[in-house]
Amino acid sequence: MPKIVDREKKRVEIAQKAIEVLAKRGFQATTIQDIADAASLGKGTIYHYFKTKEEILWAVSEQMFRETERSLGAALLKINEPMDKLVALIEEALHITEELEHIFIIYSELWLMTVRGEQTGDFVNVLRRLQNDMTNLVASMIREGKKQGLWPGDTDADALAGYLASSFDGVFAHYMIDKENFDIKRVTNEFIKFLIKQSAPKND
Amino acid sequence: MPKIVDREKKRVEIAQKAIEVLAKRGFQATTIQDIADAASLGKGTIYHYFKTKEEILWAVSEQMFRETERSLGAALLKINEPMDKLVALIEEALHITEELEHIFIIYSELWLMTVRGEQTGDFVNVLRRLQNDMTNLVASMIREGKKQGLWPGDTDADALAGYLASSFDGVFAHYMIDKENFDIKRVTNEFIKFLIKQSAPKND
Amino acid sequence: MPKIVDREKKRVEIAQKAIEVLAKRGFQATTIQDIADAASLGKGTIYHYFKTKEEILWAVSEQMFRETERSLGAALLKINEPMDKLVALIEEALHITEELEHIFIIYSELWLMTVRGEQTGDFVNVLRRLQNDMTNLVASMIREGKKQGLWPGDTDADALAGYLASSFDGVFAHYMIDKENFDIKRVTNEFIKFLIKQSAPKND
Amino acid sequence: MPKIVDREKKRVEIAQKAIEVLAKRGFQATTIQDIADAASLGKGTIYHYFKTKEEILWAVSEQMFRETERSLGAALLKINEPMDKLVALIEEALHITEELEHIFIIYSELWLMTVRGEQTGDFVNVLRRLQNDMTNLVASMIREGKKQGLWPGDTDADALAGYLASSFDGVFAHYMIDKENFDIKRVTNEFIKFLIKQSAPKND
DNA sequence: TATGAATGAGCTTTCATTCAT
DNA sequence: AATGAATGAAAGCTCATTCAT
């Protein structure tokens, strides 16, 4: 039993160290040696914890997923007003950190592997869960907003949430290609303004 | 005299054939042999037209860029009303075809290579031009809409356009991961409804 | 008949042009395209005159041989005194020209191919003929010198000639490796002084 | 723990094995597979010890240089008389062994690569050091001989040594092309006789 | 006759994976 | 458990040679 815990703990440790190199070089270009170096282990040792290189990516993706969920949840716990929550969520989702950039790059690579259907594991589930989590979060806010009369009653909450949640990734991607010119703050704020006008309109 | 070949034309042909395999397997995983097979040519023949594997990707990206620009332009020529134009643009941008899926996948890989800084060519320019083209198109529609009073005067056209143009990619990406459940039509329509409400609200 | 002459003439032309590139890059590293370019011909055309790449080298070596023989002969025709002849020969053999450097490099490559036994043709004969020609020339001078009493009677003319003829190549090779420091004139002159002392000593 | 391997020792071992194949086929024509076979290793293993194929040649040349220096030095340690030393040196330099033939062939290829300027390393230094070592050795003997009155006082020791040292290579090369007819012993002896007459002449 | 487009064998090099220690 | 030496499959790329025009 303690053995197994140790094993799992070490897998997590290795995966953690792997994230950085993977984001920097990509999965294909990252060698087992790179990962071993990052984890300060011998190349052979990695194979005591992972059967193949791809298995490392599975572990990495799982871990990233858990961390992303946790940080999303944490950001929203403390807020009550649905509208404020939505704004907070957007701001959180589009708040750039170097760590997040790494993770976003790896997600993108998982996305690519998935749409190409080349993976043996099921990254697709990680990505869909993530997508659904985010969409449901947004949808629940919109629904709550509708209930409180802050949002038009005929809004298709799921569809709009689908659009919003998706758009975050697009904004992030555009920002990363053109950091100097793409002012993510300004873009986000303008969009929030747009949302809010929409949400609390016509008390006519 | 050997067969006279228009080298540039042949390059385009090869690049065209390459798009499909590249989208399917990705640049790194696609071998020259794959591309040669797709073009029904010998491996060596490819090297008559491209000095390196990466040069193929350059040609492919240039070609994709030109085609994307052309199809965008064509879609918008026939419409006059700015609001209708915007709707048409969104519908065009999010109109799925197998061809477009291929292209989107390759763009995504170019994106990845760029953010990792691993490429020697300047894919970044292809991507930025594309991004800017789209953004400027949207912004010009919004500005025109503002002039005609169809859109609130305090809108930051560039910022909002930045958001919209970016969001297309996110929506596309989410759709491709979950084609069965992500109803792109419904999502798009809901968003358009949202946009339009926003645009012509207030002479109440 | 005229056809054949033309063919042979063109072979010679091509071989002539080939010499320069071959000396510059070596046989292995020189591509047929290089040779075609040097001859201002299409790559395919070369194959109308030579069946294989190695056949070009055969032609080149034959031609170099003929030219070398001719220039050696010419240099010696006009001199009568055997001692002067020998000195003249040494000076001629060690007289550096860029053309000669090229030729020497190709001979060296032929030598290498021969000692490795990798060639299908018989470069060995070209090299031996050359070696023998030179040796016999020197030997005949020594013998003549012996007859005229200018040289000790117990000299083994062939053996000494073998040494002298061989030494030219070594001197040339050393010079080419260290052109700045290896003063070929000074070295040659010192050796000639040494030879002459030897040849006309004993007024006993 | 894996087998502990002295990397430097293994490099030397591989280089040692490589010498034979390199001499047989030449650097360009020798494949990594050839070298791996000669060393009874897998192709990939070679790359644990050498980053590139050329690096193998560097190691080989360094090693050859060291061995050559050592064997030259050893041959001369035990002799005191300068004249005897010179004779011993000549005999050593022109003493044929199969090992030495291999080494001479590789030196010749290094020479070719150098005069063509195609190498990235500095083989030229290996060759020049060798050349200089040999020349200085000979020159010091001549100088000593001059001091002891065994050699004419007006001899330019360096120049003559340059000639002698160079000639060894030429003799070797001629021998290797025509082993049956070129009697290296006879040629050498004749030349030594010639040298000695010169050195201790005038007791008249 | 002259050409260069087409080809694939064969090269160097990389790297996931295995395994003896 | 930990290691890195060993391996060979597989990749990109070159080039002598062929051949249709």
Side-chain angles (χ1 to χ4, degrees), chain B residues 98-187:
Chain B
E98 206 173 328
E99 168 84 6
L100 190 57
E101 290 190 22
H102 285 161
I103 288 184
F104 188 72
I105 289 175
I106 299 177
Y107 274 135
S108 300
E109 186 157 36
L110 293 182
W111 179 90
L112 255 180
M113 293 177 83
T114 299
V115 296
R116 280 189 203 131
E118 75 191 11
Q119 18 73 43
T120 62
D122 66 341
F123 300 130
V124 70
N125 274 326
V126 170
L127 293 172
R128 282 187 189 165
R129 272 187 287 158
L130 212 55
Q131 210 160 292
N132 288 338
D133 281 2
M134 182 64 96
T135 304
N136 291 337
L137 210 54
V138 174
S140 75
M141 291 170 191
I142 295 178
R143 259 185 240 105
E144 205 178 336
K146 278 168 69 175
K147 230 183 289 173
Q148 299 187 16
L150 301 171
W151 202 284
D154 64 341
T155 306
D156 179 339
D158 289 318
L160 192 59
Y163 175 82
L164 287 179
S166 304
S167 71
F168 301 157
D169 288 343
V171 170
F172 217 127
H174 277 227
Y175 162 74
M176 286 190 64
I177 271 296
D178 198 6
K179 294 186 180 180
E180 304 82 29
N181 300 311
F182 192 97
D183 183 342
I184 203 168
K185 269 283 167 221
R186 179 175 151 220
V187 164

Side-chain angles (χ1 to χ4, degrees), chain C residues 26 109 111-112 116 128 131 154 156 163 166-167 169-170 173-174 177-178 186 190 193-195 198, chain D residues 24 26 109 111 116 128 131 154 156 163 166-167 169-170 173-174 177-178 186 190-191 193-194 198:
Chain C
E109 187 157 36
W111 180 89
L112 257 179
R116 283 184 200 136
R128 283 188 189 163
Q131 211 160 291
D154 64 342
D156 179 339
Y163 175 83
S166 305
S167 71
D169 289 343
H174 277 227
I177 269 297
D178 198 6
R186 179 175 152 219
E190 184 64 22
K193 206 177 73 184
F194 181 86
L195 260 190
Q198 171 77 7
Chain D
K24 217 168 271 164
E109 185 157 38
W111 180 88
R116 282 188 203 131
R128 283 188 188 165
Q131 210 159 293
D154 65 339
D156 180 338
Y163 190 91
S166 305
S167 71
D169 289 342
H174 277 227
I177 270 295
D178 197 7
R186 181 174 152 220
E190 183 63 21
F191 181 64
K193 208 176 71 185
F194 181 85
Q198 171 74 10

Side-chain angles (χ1 to χ4, degrees), chain C residues 28 112-119, chain D residues 17-27 29-30 34 38 98 101-103 105-106 109:
Chain C
Q28 302 231 37
L112 257 179
M113 294 175 81
T114 299
V115 297
R116 283 184 200 136
E118 73 191 11
Q119 18 74 43
Chain D
K17 300 286 192 175
I19 287 180
E20 204 171 330
V21 253
L22 283 174
K24 217 168 271 164
R25 302 204 232 295
F27 180 64
T30 299
D34 291 334
E98 205 174 327
E101 291 191 21
H102 286 162
I103 288 184
I105 290 175
I106 299 177
E109 185 157 38

Side-chain angles (χ1 to χ4, degrees), chain A residues 22-29 104-105 108-109 111-112 114-116 118 124 127-128 131-132 135 151-152 154-156 158-160 162-167 169-180 182 186-187 190-191 193-195 197-198 202 204, chain B residues 22-29 94 104-105 108-109 111-112 114-116 118 124 127-128 131-132 151-152 154-156 158-160 162-171 173-180 182 186-188 190-191 193-195 197-198 204:
Chain A
L22 283 174
K24 222 168 263 164
R25 301 204 235 294
F27 179 64
Q28 302 232 39
F104 189 71
I105 288 176
S108 300
E109 187 158 34
W111 179 89
L112 258 179
T114 300
V115 296
R116 282 186 202 135
E118 74 190 10
V124 70
L127 294 171
R128 282 188 188 162
Q131 209 159 292
N132 288 338
T135 304
W151 204 285
D154 64 341
T155 306
D156 180 338
D158 289 318
L160 191 58
Y163 189 90
L164 290 183
S166 304
S167 71
D169 288 343
V171 170
F172 216 128
H174 277 227
Y175 162 74
M176 285 188 66
I177 270 295
D178 198 7
K179 294 184 180 186
E180 304 82 30
F182 193 97
R186 181 173 152 219
V187 165
E190 184 65 22
F191 181 64
K193 208 177 74 185
F194 181 86
L195 264 188
K197 262 198 203 124
Q198 171 75 8
K202 36 231 83 175
D204 46 319
Chain B
L22 283 174
K24 217 168 268 163
R25 302 204 232 295
F27 179 65
Q28 305 226 42
L94 294 173
F104 188 72
I105 289 175
S108 300
E109 186 157 36
W111 179 90
L112 255 180
T114 299
V115 296
R116 280 189 203 131
E118 75 191 11
V124 70
L127 293 172
R128 282 187 189 165
Q131 210 160 292
N132 288 338
W151 202 284
D154 64 341
T155 306
D156 179 339
D158 289 318
L160 192 59
Y163 175 82
L164 287 179
S166 304
S167 71
F168 301 157
D169 288 343
V171 170
H174 277 227
Y175 162 74
M176 286 190 64
I177 271 296
D178 198 6
K179 294 186 180 180
E180 304 82 29
F182 192 97
R186 179 175 151 220
V187 164
T188 307
E190 183 65 21
F191 185 68
K193 207 176 75 187
F194 181 86
L195 262 189
K197 258 194 206 131
Q198 171 76 8
D204 44 318

